Amino acid sequence: MLVLNTFAESLQKFHMAISKLSKILNPDTLETEQRAARILKSKSGGIKSSSANYFNVQEPSNNSFIIRSVDIPEILDSLKKDGFSLGINLPPELISEIWTFANRTLCYGNNDPSLGFYYSEKEQAQTKYGSIFKIGDYYKKTSLCPVIKQLGSDPILLKIATQYLESEAVHQGNQLRWNFPVELPIYERGQSTQMFHREGNKRRVLKFLFYITDVDLCSNPHVCVRESHVRKEPMPLYRRREYSYQEITEYYGYNNIVPICGRAGLGFVEDMRCFHKKASPGSKDRLTLQIKFGVKD
């Protein structure tokens, strides 16, 4: 009997050793188990407010498998002061996944669901449809991209939105869109400049924007007006929805008009009460992802 017990114990130790060895040889299994343990650990304990200056609610965990190296207090301070903040970037491997999705998925030209085309076949599609595309939108198909879907519930983005909006933040949608340069006669180019606008004075909405392509001054950078979310415009501007570059410059100052340029992966967040616009059509295509959060009704 003693011999049998000793043999059984030895056999059990042998199986345990084999199990450990298989995990070492198969790092994916080990990583999956470690990730599950981290998730369970994060769910077991609540996350406290990162700063006493912001609304203290039960918030999601800081653990994020997408957003990395984010200074949340600094981003919140910049948001409150300027109306926008940089420093929320996506790693190259995830940009590559979104880029691959965009190239393999139909988008639709000029907000028309009947003008479907693949980005690599844009020129042929314009000839086929007899239309020049200014934009290409993926609409609800963005939910088919795992990375974009995960960003809608990313703990870091939710934490920033919840703290800034001082209420439980909810994901309100995504947008993946191409902006294309369009050749125009010289006399029409001045008319093509997009006007500055904002999404309401009272609506509490945050948008996180990520450049999926490199964006410089030739590829329609997003332009924000610093402090325009808190500085009210004079009465002649207040009742209108769109404002010219000259009007915004005269009131807010040239130095507060900030074009945001950067390499693919650059991300930033904006209070949609802040005046913003896209620059005049340039010479490069631009692909941008937007993740929108608002407050619970």
Side-chain angles (χ1 to χ4, degrees), residues 14-71:
F14 175 76
H15 283 301
M16 290 174 64
I18 291 296
S19 177
K20 289 181 179 180
L21 180 61
S22 65
K23 289 178 181 180
I24 294 172
L25 294 176
N26 187 0
D28 291 337
T29 302
L30 183 60
E31 181 182 355
T32 300
E33 291 187 3
Q34 292 173 341
R35 178 176 295 182
R38 289 196 299 269
I39 293 173
L40 287 173
K41 183 178 180 181
S42 67
K43 287 183 177 180
S44 63
I47 300 298
K48 297 181 179 179
S49 172
S50 61
S51 171
N53 295 328
Y54 300 102
F55 192 72
N56 189 9
V57 296
Q58 185 69 18
E59 299 159 2
S61 166
N62 273 355
N63 296 327
S64 170
F65 300 127
I66 293 186
I67 307 298
R68 304 173 186 172
S69 303
V70 173
D71 188 334

Side-chain angles (χ1 to χ4, degrees), residues 175-190:
Q175 182 188 77
L176 184 64
R177 171 177 285 183
W178 285 104
N179 287 89
F180 304 122
V182 178
E183 290 294 333
L184 295 172
I186 294 177
Y187 64 87
E188 292 184 13
R189 290 179 186 175

